[in-house]
Amino acid sequence: SSPHLVGPPLMPRAARPLPQRRCKGKSDRVSGGRERHRGRERPTGTGWGSRRNAPGTSLLMLVVIFLQCSIDSEEDMFGDFDSFCGNDSLLAQVEDIEHKYQQDKNTDAKAAGDIVLGNLESGICQKKEDNFSTSENKIALKADKEDAFHVNENDPVDSNQELTESGLDDLPSSQLLYFGKIDQLSSGSRISPVSERSNQCVNSSDKIRSPSSFCPDTEHRNRPADFSSDSKHDLFKTESLKDHLKSAMAGNAKAQTLQVSKTKQLKEAVLSEEICVARKTIESSSVDIGPFYGLPSKVKDLFRQLRGIEKLYEWQHDCLMLESLQQRKNLIYSLPTSGGKTLVAEIIILQELLCRQKDVLMILPYVAIVQEKLHMLGEGSRGATLEITLAKILYTSKNTQIIGMSATLNNVGDLQKFLQAEYYTNNFRPVELKEYIKIRDTIYAVDSKTENGFTFSRLLNFKYSSNLEKADPDHIIALVTEVIPKYSCLVFCPTKKNCENVASMVCKYLKKEFRAHREKEKRDLIKNLKNIGNGSVCPVLLQTIPFGIAYHHSGLTNDERKSIEEAYSAGVLCLLACTATLAAGVNLPARRVILRAPYVASDFLKKNQYKQMIGRAGRAGIDSAGESILIVQEKDKHLVIFTNPLENCYSNLLLELNKGMQSLLLSLVGLKIAVTHEEVDNFMWSTLLGVQQQLLSKEKSLSEIIKDGLENLIEKGLLKGRISEKEHNSKCILTITPLGKATYKGSIDLAYCNLLYRELKKGLEGLILESNLHLLYLTTPYDMTSDFRPDWMIYLRQFNQLSTAEQKVADIVGVPESFITKKASGQAIRKNVDSAVVNRLYLSFVLYTLLKETNIWSVAEKFNMSRGYVQNLLNSAASFTSCVLHFCEELEEFWVYKALLTELTKQLTYCVKTELIPLMEVAGVLEARAKQLYNAGYKTVAHLANANPGTLVKMIEHLSLRQAKQIVSSAKMLLSEKAEALQEEVEELLKVPTDIPGTC
């Protein structure tokens, strides 16, 4: 058979040499070594082919060793090249062999093959032993932990030789293409290169130009072993063997080398094999769950490397081994906070994605297949939305698995019945949590065994001066200084203002030594916050951060919150004064959690909320202990009852009528999930409301409630049909009106859908387009106006800064200048003006200023608002504008709004100058970075997609190579998505209609 030949680069006799670069074949990579023979270098190990291969097969293998030699033109570059071993030209020898072959018309095909191979071998290097069997020339592909290729155990080389990344990257294009099918390997398979080549059957593609006669597959398929005279003639009838060889060599040399690292591809191939095995295992009834709960061992390695997780807790193992999970049944599992619930959800998600190749829906704030903090089913419109989502999934898809997890559940039976799920619970908590309550200067330990729920623990040991006692009557300073700065501490406060006050008060009375703790990192944090605020930093944070203290609430911008959270997690900040929102969805653990008061705003603290807050204390892997202290005034002592059970979780479909029951009924008909009264009844019985309807519906039955809801939707003009108690009308088909369809397609709150329609209709009569102020008013969220009170002096000042055309907008919507003037001057108002419209126009002024200045800080200062509120307004307006756009798309009369709202949605989403919007679409690019890129000449997504990461790093200040690579990769992905969308559009346009007149 023909061995791989690795020698010095071929040198032309012409003056211009080729680059001095080794033309490497696969042999010196796979075989693992070379030996010297007759003054030349020869690889050890077996060759690729077998003497039984058809003529041309071994010649094709010789072609691949020239792939990395440069070719700049179509000229004949091979005739004057030296051969590997002697002075004769290689191609000259090939020509002689071909001539001899053509003279002997009656030669047996096998013999012809032997002559070709034999002459080549004798003219090029030492002839190898005859009669190598195919099995002796196999090269095993072994999916082991080193992700390396090994030669057959019979080969005289080290079988543990690893195939290095650099070696793979240097492989010629034809050999790289040979590896292209690597992912098709099944577990444990060993593939012969000969058979692999037969399957690939090299063709005349732009990658490798090779005649069909070079494919052994075409030589052996459906023909006898012996050639006839005609068949031997056909083998070479198109062009000579020499021309074939030259053509293939030229084509291979010009072929582009694959850019993807071959080692990476091989590792991915090994991972694919493990996933294939895992998929088969997880779908079988076997109790063997594989290397890591049905997942590839690579997943286990990543958990260890990235998360430091060496071993699962016993409960996690038990939960993942539940028969209900193995059979893909619905499951609810409940454990105390910090028990490790999220890891179980992550493993289940990976099983779905990698092994079963199923889609996964994640409902925030926690990650799982379809899961949420289940007790939030009973919390307002959020709970109603979650219940609607789960009910639709349960009703329409019997194959979808639902996994729910929660730390706080009481009436699990109702939830089990609703979700048709099994239940798993455990009281495990890796770090013990000790609960305390403080009344005056006494601290009590929570003890459910006692009558009142707590017992005496200790007196507070801290000397207070009279001034300090007045400033800190709750002894917060005493409580926090017991743990900071060595350990972390969270102080939950009832209001945002209270958070800032507590942070300021504590740092005023701390010793100067606190400033020295990680001083440089604190300065870096302030610098980072200044960059976020375009040069501005909150005065409170500027005062508190040097002491390692900060506040955390919705008044901060998203970037500010993120920076503060990261600093706290890194230990730069040791104390956060925060609101209850931090208890859910943000993993910021502490050694001690202090509850400033048993209130959230003005509402008394629920036990579920209390459990969520104190659950931040003593997180696994971070603290060895955790404790919570609830500060209670003497007057509230009787309200704090620790022995009470957790609150039950109830449906909110009735309490949130517009966002609950009626919204659900409208979408059921619109999506054609249920289109008759009877079908709607059947669906509603499967909801949590249906499970609990005996508890919730004292006056009316569920059927009567449904009937009232459908009739209300018909009255609003959202549905058409008749609802009657008579049996013969119960089958009446309900249909959705255009307005109803626009409402549910746009996710418009039913309380505002008719108002929105009227305002958009009125806008058509005289839309002011001198600026986007009128459009902004139409897309300012309705639900942000109810609790808002404008500053009338600011209102008048902003109104006076508008142009004459823009001032007409106020008059059109129903807020005359005289009204604003009188309000600002404190005069009595006789004419009634809709306060919701007044407030909405004021908020549209905020958005209008924001789009002009693109600076949240400066706008917040102008309107005397918190920057967090301004950002929330911006985000809500962007979301609502998108909803209004979808609303208008369903109503032909509003066609004019489509283009206008499309652009406005982009402006609100990114809130930057128009020219920066394309760059802002790229993941990882925020406004400051977009400005840098634009000024450097990267003005489009295409510029970024084709950028060199190294060049980006040099041109863009403070950009790391990792960030540059991420930006380039994201831009490429964005372009690819846009191209795919256009391609789908093209395919749709070119699709031949099936109902062409006159066709069958």
Side-chain angles (χ1 to χ4, degrees):
S1 78
S2 172
H4 284 288
L5 305 175
V6 181
L10 298 178
M11 295 294 295
R13 294 191 179 101
R16 183 172 65 86
L18 288 170
Q20 297 296 309
R21 186 177 179 185
R22 295 189 65 82
C23 297
K24 300 176 183 178
K26 183 179 176 66
S27 174
D28 58 332
R29 299 285 180 267
V30 177
S31 299
R34 289 187 289 270
E35 61 182 31
R36 302 293 299 177
H37 182 71
R38 295 183 185 176
R40 298 184 300 278
E41 204 172 354
R42 180 175 72 83
T44 60
T46 60
W48 282 84
S50 165
R51 292 182 67 88
R52 282 175 244 166
N53 289 344
T57 302
S58 295
L59 289 178
L60 179 60
M61 291 304 100
L62 289 174
V63 172
V64 298
I65 46 183
F66 301 107
L67 286 169
Q68 293 189 10
C69 298
S70 299
I71 293 181
D72 297 325
S73 68
E74 294 291 341
E75 62 181 340
D76 187 347
M77 296 159 285
F78 302 105
D80 295 330
F81 276 38
D82 291 334
S83 67
F84 281 101
C85 302
N87 293 326
D88 294 333
S89 166
L90 171 64
L91 296 183
Q93 290 190 50
V94 171
E95 190 171 22
D96 290 342
I97 295 168
E98 180 185 5
H99 181 69
K100 182 175 181 180
Y101 179 85
Q102 292 285 5
Q103 287 179 342
D104 188 3
K105 295 289 185 179
N106 298 317
T107 303
D108 179 82
K110 181 176 181 300
D114 290 344
I115 291 171
V116 173
L117 295 171
N119 278 278
L120 278 172
E121 290 161 357
S122 62
I124 297 175
C125 65
Q126 179 190 23
K127 183 176 181 179
K128 301 190 78 176
E129 293 183 8
D130 296 335
N131 301 323
F132 274 99
S133 68
T134 302
S135 62
E136 289 173 328
N137 288 287
K138 286 183 179 178
I139 294 179
L141 299 173
K142 184 176 181 181
D144 59 8
K145 291 182 180 179
E146 289 75 29
D147 298 326
F149 278 110
H150 298 284
V151 296
N152 186 282
E153 60 184 2
N154 296 324
D155 295 342
V157 292
D158 180 9
S159 63
N160 292 318
Q161 179 79 16
E162 184 175 344
L163 190 61
T164 64
E165 180 169 354
S166 59
L168 285 165
D169 288 337
D170 288 339
L171 286 177
S173 298
S174 63
Q175 287 181 311
L176 296 182
L177 290 173
Y178 172 77
F179 286 106
K181 301 287 186 180
I182 191 69
D183 288 339
Q184 298 176 3
L185 295 176
S186 61
S187 176
S189 65
R190 300 173 69 86
I191 294 182
S192 165
V194 176
S195 62
E196 178 72 12
R197 284 198 313 276
S198 299
N199 290 332
Q200 290 186 1
C201 189
V202 181
N203 55 35
S204 55
S205 68
D206 60 343
K207 293 290 183 186
I208 297 181
R209 292 163 55 194
S210 176
S212 61
S213 60
F214 277 26
C215 178
D217 179 48
T218 60
E219 291 298 310
H220 290 282
R221 190 185 298 125
N222 299 325
R223 67 171 178 82
D226 295 329
F227 287 107
S228 65
S229 178
D230 290 339
S231 64
K232 285 182 290 184
H233 177 71
D234 291 341
L235 184 64
F236 295 99
K237 69 181 181 180
T238 55
E239 53 179 324
S240 70
L241 183 59
K242 175 182 175 182
D243 291 336
H244 278 314
L245 184 55
K246 287 166 62 177
S247 175
M249 290 164 73
N252 290 339
K254 290 195 295 183
Q256 293 184 349
T257 303
L258 299 181
Q259 297 299 312
V260 181
S261 163
K262 293 296 106 182
T263 294
K264 183 178 179 181
Q265 286 193 0
L266 297 182
K267 288 180 179 179
E268 288 176 354
V270 173
L271 185 59
S272 295
E273 283 192 38
E274 287 197 7
I275 290 173
C276 181
V277 174
R279 188 181 304 129
K280 292 177 181 177
T281 302
I282 207 168
E283 290 174 355
S284 69
S285 58
S286 171
V287 294
D288 180 11
I289 58 171
F292 188 67
Y293 301 98
L295 292 168
S297 56
K298 181 67 175 177
V299 176
K300 182 179 181 180
D301 295 339
L302 288 173
F303 272 121
R304 181 173 60 250
Q305 294 169 15
L306 303 178
R307 306 272 286 276
I309 298 173
E310 295 286 344
K311 186 180 179 181
L312 267 62
Y313 296 131
E314 184 177 349
W315 85 262
Q316 291 172 327
H317 172 80
D318 293 344
C319 186
L320 288 167
M321 293 298 292
L322 289 173
E323 186 178 351
S324 55
L325 276 185
Q326 307 301 322
Q327 296 176 1
R328 299 196 77 248
K329 293 181 179 178
N330 296 345
L331 175 71
I332 299 170
Y333 63 99
S334 175
L335 282 95
T337 304
S338 186
K341 298 183 296 296
T342 303
L343 178 61
V344 171
E346 289 172 346
I347 292 174
I348 295 171
I349 285 174
L350 290 172
Q351 289 174 347
E352 294 295 306
L353 292 174
L354 295 178
C355 302
R356 295 191 177 98
Q357 295 185 332
K358 301 286 186 181
D359 290 333
V360 175
L361 173 65
M362 299 181 291
I363 301 181
L364 299 175
Y366 296 115
V367 180
I369 292 177
V370 175
Q371 73 91 31
E372 168 69 90
K373 294 194 302 178
L374 284 180
H375 64 278
M376 286 190 173
L377 278 168
E379 293 190 6
S381 61
R382 186 179 187 180
T385 303
L386 179 59
E387 182 179 350
I388 289 171
T389 302
L390 293 173
K392 287 178 180 176
I393 292 172
L394 287 164
Y395 191 82
T396 59
S397 175
K398 304 303 180 185
N399 296 323
T400 301
Q401 183 185 21
I402 297 175
I403 309 292
M405 69 178 188
S406 179
T408 49
L409 283 177
N410 189 38
N411 56 332
V412 180
D414 289 350
L415 296 176
Q416 278 188 266
K417 189 174 180 181
F418 165 48
L419 296 177
Q420 303 160 35
E422 297 191 15
Y423 180 59
Y424 175 88
T425 187
N426 196 299
N427 291 323
F428 172 81
R429 199 179 197 276
V431 177
E432 183 185 6
L433 173 60
K434 297 178 180 179
E435 300 177 45
Y436 298 96
I437 179 174
K438 187 188 86 69
I439 303 174
R440 293 182 179 174
D441 59 352
T442 306
I443 295 178
Y444 301 90
V446 174
D447 186 355
S448 58
K449 297 177 182 178
T450 61
E451 184 177 349
N452 58 2
F454 49 86
T455 58
F456 174 82
S457 176
R458 65 185 173 95
L459 290 173
L460 199 61
N461 183 22
F462 191 88
K463 293 182 180 179
Y464 268 78
S465 64
S466 58
N467 288 335
L468 185 56
E469 186 73 38
K470 291 178 182 178
D472 182 24
D474 294 326
H475 310 109
I476 292 175
I477 294 173
L479 295 175
V480 301
T481 51
E482 289 179 347
V483 291
I484 65 170
K486 185 177 181 181
Y487 300 107
S488 59
C489 182
L490 292 175
V491 180
F492 282 102
C493 304
T495 65
K496 294 193 287 287
K497 188 63 178 175
N498 193 234
C499 289
E500 297 179 29
N501 291 341
V502 166
S504 297
M505 182 268 295
V506 170
C507 73
K508 284 180 183 178
Y509 294 95
L510 290 181
K511 296 178 181 178
K512 292 183 178 180
E513 287 79 3
F514 280 84
R515 297 178 67 98
H517 181 71
R518 305 182 73 163
E519 189 174 4
K520 180 183 180 301
E521 289 155 293
K522 292 172 186 173
R523 288 200 302 268
D524 291 341
L525 173 59
I526 292 175
K527 183 179 178 181
N528 185 38
L529 291 172
K530 186 175 289 187
N531 290 334
I532 291 170
N534 291 321
S536 301
V537 182
C538 171
V540 176
L541 292 177
L542 208 56
Q543 173 198 6
T544 61
I545 286 176
F547 290 91
I549 299 171
Y551 64 84
H552 184 291
H553 58 58
S554 60
L556 296 168
T557 65
N558 293 337
D559 291 333
E560 285 177 314
R561 283 203 296 269
K562 183 179 179 182
S563 294
I564 289 172
E565 288 166 10
E566 289 175 349
Y568 177 82
S569 297
V572 178
L573 298 175
C574 56
L575 173 64
L576 288 186
C578 51
T579 52
T581 53
L582 186 138
V586 181
N587 185 19
L588 296 180
R591 166 62 69 92
R592 176 176 288 180
V593 169
I594 300 170
L595 279 68
R596 172 75 175 73
Y599 290 90
V600 174
S602 59
D603 297 326
F604 196 81
L605 191 68
K606 296 178 181 178
K607 189 164 185 179
N608 285 338
Q609 295 170 322
Y610 168 76
K611 287 292 185 182
Q612 283 293 321
M613 291 182 189
I614 68 172
R616 304 301 104 190
R619 304 291 285 190
I622 299 174
D623 281 318
S624 57
E627 58 186 23
S628 68
I629 300 176
L630 171 63
I631 300 175
V632 178
Q633 304 300 321
E634 191 74 37
K635 63 182 179 65
D636 293 328
K637 184 171 65 173
H638 67 285
L639 298 173
V640 180
I641 305 174
F642 290 99
T643 54
N644 283 354
L646 295 170
E647 291 82 9
N648 286 332
C649 174
Y650 293 120
S651 171
N652 270 269
L653 290 183
L654 288 182
L655 297 176
E656 291 287 334
L657 195 60
N658 289 314
K659 293 182 180 179
M661 170 67 82
Q662 293 197 27
S663 177
L664 174 56
L665 295 176
L666 180 66
S667 64
L668 288 179
V669 177
L671 295 170
K672 297 183 178 179
I673 295 174
V675 294
T676 68
H677 193 176
E678 183 181 4
E679 290 175 347
V680 173
D681 273 355
N682 291 337
F683 179 93
M684 292 303 300
W685 277 98
S686 67
T687 63
L688 181 60
L689 175 64
V691 172
Q692 299 176 331
Q693 60 100 18
Q694 290 181 340
L695 297 173
L696 300 176
S697 307
K698 302 294 184 183
E699 299 176 356
K700 293 184 178 181
S701 68
L702 182 60
S703 293
E704 290 173 325
I705 293 173
I706 295 169
K707 176 177 173 292
D708 290 345
L710 291 173
E711 288 178 344
N712 187 269
L713 291 173
I714 292 172
E715 289 175 8
K716 286 183 176 180
L718 303 176
L719 290 181
K720 287 192 296 186
R722 288 181 301 167
I723 303 298
S724 173
E725 295 179 0
K726 295 181 181 179
E727 186 177 348
H728 65 275
N729 281 330
S730 63
K731 298 290 184 181
C732 175
I733 301 296
L734 295 165
T735 57
I736 194 163
T737 65
L739 178 60
K741 186 176 183 182
T743 300
Y744 92 80
K745 282 287 188 73
S747 299
I748 304 297
D749 190 331
L750 297 188
Y752 306 117
C753 62
N754 292 100
L755 176 60
L756 176 64
Y757 177 83
R758 289 195 301 269
E759 291 195 321
L760 289 172
K761 189 77 171 175
K762 186 178 179 181
L764 292 178
E765 299 172 5
L767 191 63
I768 305 297
L769 293 177
E770 182 183 274
S771 70
N772 55 17
L773 178 60
H774 199 168
L775 274 178
L776 282 170
Y777 171 80
L778 293 174
T779 55
T780 298
Y782 291 101
D783 56 3
M784 293 198 71
T785 63
S786 56
D787 298 326
F788 178 74
R789 296 292 179 268
D791 184 313
W792 294 107
M793 290 302 297
I794 294 175
Y795 208 147
L796 181 61
R797 187 185 311 131
Q798 292 298 319
F799 179 86
N800 289 332
Q801 292 175 5
L802 299 176
S803 67
T804 303
E806 289 171 338
Q807 288 180 351
K808 288 182 182 178
V809 174
D811 197 49
I812 290 172
V813 302
V815 185
E817 180 181 1
S818 59
F819 174 82
I820 301 174
T821 304
K822 289 180 179 180
K823 274 289 188 181
S825 60
Q827 299 179 40
I829 306 294
R830 294 180 181 178
K831 184 181 178 181
N832 289 330
V833 177
D834 189 342
S835 61
V837 174
V838 173
N839 293 351
R840 196 161 175 240
L841 182 63
Y842 186 83
L843 293 179
S844 68
F845 283 0
V846 178
L847 293 170
Y848 179 58
T849 308
L850 194 55
L851 289 184
K852 284 197 298 184
E853 300 185 9
T854 69
N855 187 319
I856 289 176
W857 273 84
S858 65
V859 173
E861 189 175 343
K862 276 185 180 180
F863 287 88
N864 194 25
M865 296 175 170
S866 74
R867 55 203 178 278
Y869 181 88
V870 173
Q871 186 175 61
N872 184 39
L873 172 64
L874 178 65
N875 294 337
S876 298
S879 176
F880 186 62
T881 304
S882 178
C883 291
V884 176
L885 172 60
H886 291 300
F887 181 87
C888 292
E889 285 174 342
E890 298 299 325
L891 298 170
E892 187 61 34
E893 59 194 301
F894 293 148
W895 63 271
V896 71
Y897 288 113
K898 296 177 187 177
L900 296 172
L901 293 178
T902 299
E903 290 306 309
L904 186 61
T905 301
K906 287 183 179 180
Q907 292 178 39
L908 289 168
T909 300
Y910 301 114
C911 192
V912 295
K913 300 297 182 184
T914 306
E915 63 270 16
L916 298 181
I917 289 178
L919 299 180
M920 294 288 290
E921 293 183 271
V922 178
V925 176
L926 299 177
E927 182 180 6
R929 184 73 75 207
K931 289 178 180 177
Q932 286 181 307
L933 292 168
Y934 189 88
N935 294 334
Y938 297 95
K939 300 184 178 182
T940 66
V941 177
H943 283 140
L944 291 180
N946 293 282
N948 182 291
T951 306
L952 277 178
V953 171
K954 294 177 182 177
M955 297 183 69
I956 307 300
E957 191 177 2
H958 304 307
L959 181 69
S960 68
L961 183 60
R962 181 186 63 82
Q963 291 170 326
K965 288 180 177 178
Q966 180 187 358
I967 288 173
V968 173
S969 176
S970 298
K972 287 180 178 178
M973 186 178 298
L974 183 61
L975 277 186
S976 176
E977 289 172 355
K978 290 186 175 182
E980 288 176 7
L982 289 173
Q983 182 62 38
E984 289 176 3
E985 198 172 326
V986 169
E987 291 172 359
E988 189 65 30
L989 287 172
L990 297 177
K991 187 182 294 183
V992 179
T994 57
D995 57 348
I996 299 176
T999 59
C1000 296

